[in-house]
Amino acid sequence: MSSQIEELTILCASEGGKPYMDSKVEIQRAINGVKLSIEALSSFEGSEVAMGHTASSANRMAYTFKEPIGVVAAVSAFNHPFNLAVHQVIPAIAVGCSVIIKPATQTPMSAVKLIEILAEAGLPKGWAQAVVCGREAGELLATSPKINFLTFIGSGSVEHGGVAPVIVEADADIDAMIPDLGKGGFYHAGQVCVSVQRVYVHDSIVDEVASKLADYASKLVVGDQLDPKTEVGPLINNNEVNRVEEWVNEAKEKGGKILTGGNRISASCYEPTVILNPADDALVS
């Protein structure tokens, strides 16, 4: 992986739409994930059980040890296609389990590439496999009696997602906070389970925070994810852009004030948008 950082970065960015600069960080994190699994093995141990307290346990030893649990099924997500695959596949292999990973259908090639790299490194054939399939086949995999352990990352119908609120008090250091708030909201076009989605600001500073956040968002470079200058790439598919457009229009109709953005750029890109005081019953809320 370390010898292919550029190729893996381009693969990751190409299929998922995450900007080049962020995809490179993802690949570096993935490499670190492999190293962490190797390091964790040195503390992978059982324990001795105290004996000799009774006549029947005199001169006896007892200890526990860990064994591989068996076949692992991994169901992965689109937003960090390489790093999530590493998180799900590598620890399982490290402890001696075989793995079948079902990557997200929108971003399968990163997981496929990881499996190829493992084979190249000498992993026995069939020990790790990637299966590109839809939901129905994925369900068969997840519920098969042959599977001993399931690791999954998915949508709201599979796991509890977040709506990530941030609370800003009156004594906050606004200028220091805005870049973190902006990155938290617009990283990977907001397609992360812990993305900042709602910001609750103290009355006394709300206009200043809203204005500075809108200014930050308006300067973000949106477009081709393979351009190293791009900060916000396309959404994962065009239906997601349709959804964002509908939600923003609804917020506007219900009285939310669009401070920046609010428009579709293309079939796959939407402007970074900041909305002030959307109605409580608006979908964005």
Side-chain angles (χ1 to χ4, degrees):
M1 285 164 64
S2 298
S3 68
Q4 301 179 49
I5 289 175
E6 186 64 17
E7 297 94 318
L8 296 175
T9 298
I10 290 169
L11 172 65
C12 204
S14 298
E15 68 170 353
K18 185 188 292 177
Y20 175 91
M21 60 173 90
D22 295 324
S23 292
K24 181 163 268 189
V25 172
E26 174 172 346
I27 297 303
Q28 288 162 340
R29 279 188 65 195
I31 290 167
N32 194 45
V34 178
K35 289 177 178 172
L36 289 172
S37 288
I38 293 166
E39 288 166 12
L41 286 177
S42 62
S43 60
F44 190 68
E45 55 194 23
S47 59
E48 189 177 342
V49 181
M51 299 295 275
H53 299 305
T54 62
S56 61
S57 67
N59 301 316
R60 292 177 185 269
M61 280 183 73
Y63 57 90
T64 64
F65 61 93
K66 294 174 181 174
E67 293 182 324
I69 197 169
V71 181
V72 173
V75 177
S76 207
F78 77 85
N79 53 354
H80 308 289
F82 209 97
N83 194 40
L84 291 176
V86 162
H87 279 189
Q88 294 177 286
V89 171
I90 298 297
I93 288 170
V95 298
C97 295
S98 54
V99 190
I100 303 168
I101 182 168
K102 177 210 168 298
T105 49
Q106 303 103 319
T107 55
M109 297 314 298
S110 292
V112 169
K113 183 66 179 173
L114 175 64
I115 301 305
E116 287 174 3
I117 291 171
L118 284 164
E120 194 183 318
L123 192 71
K125 190 176 180 188
W127 199 267
Q129 300 177 59
V131 177
V132 182
C133 62
R135 250 179 216 190
E136 203 173 314
E139 189 173 331
L140 287 173
L141 177 68
T143 58
S144 167
K146 295 177 181 177
I147 296 298
N148 304 98
F149 188 90
L150 173 66
T151 162
F152 64 83
I153 301 152
S155 64
S157 58
V158 178
E159 74 171 38
H160 297 293
V163 282
V166 172
I167 297 170
V168 182
E169 290 285 9
D171 60 352
D173 183 340
I174 296 170
D175 290 333
M177 171 191 71
I178 292 296
D180 291 337
L181 208 52
K183 183 74 174 176
F186 298 108
Y187 168 75
H188 198 4
Q191 301 171 113
V192 183
C193 55
V194 291
S195 282
V196 172
Q197 295 178 40
R198 299 174 297 163
V199 187
Y200 294 99
V201 186
H202 193 276
D203 241 5
S204 61
I205 56 166
V206 67
D207 291 334
E208 184 184 358
V209 171
S211 157
K212 287 183 173 175
L213 183 58
D215 183 58
Y216 174 96
S218 70
K219 292 173 181 167
L220 290 168
V221 180
V222 185
D224 178 4
Q225 71 267 32
L226 294 178
D227 184 335
K229 295 194 267 313
T230 297
E231 294 169 295
V232 179
L235 274 81
I236 190 63
N237 59 50
N238 297 354
N239 282 336
E240 280 299 287
V241 189
N242 297 340
R243 179 183 65 78
V244 170
E245 187 173 40
E246 286 167 14
W247 285 27
V248 172
N249 289 343
E250 187 222 26
K252 196 159 52 173
E253 285 159 16
K254 291 189 171 181
K257 185 178 179 187
I258 309 293
L259 300 183
T260 189
N263 298 299
R264 189 182 194 126
I265 297 172
S266 68
S268 59
C269 290
Y270 196 89
E271 288 178 337
T273 301
V274 177
I275 307 171
L276 180 63
N277 291 330
D280 288 342
D281 66 345
L283 286 167
V284 291
S285 300

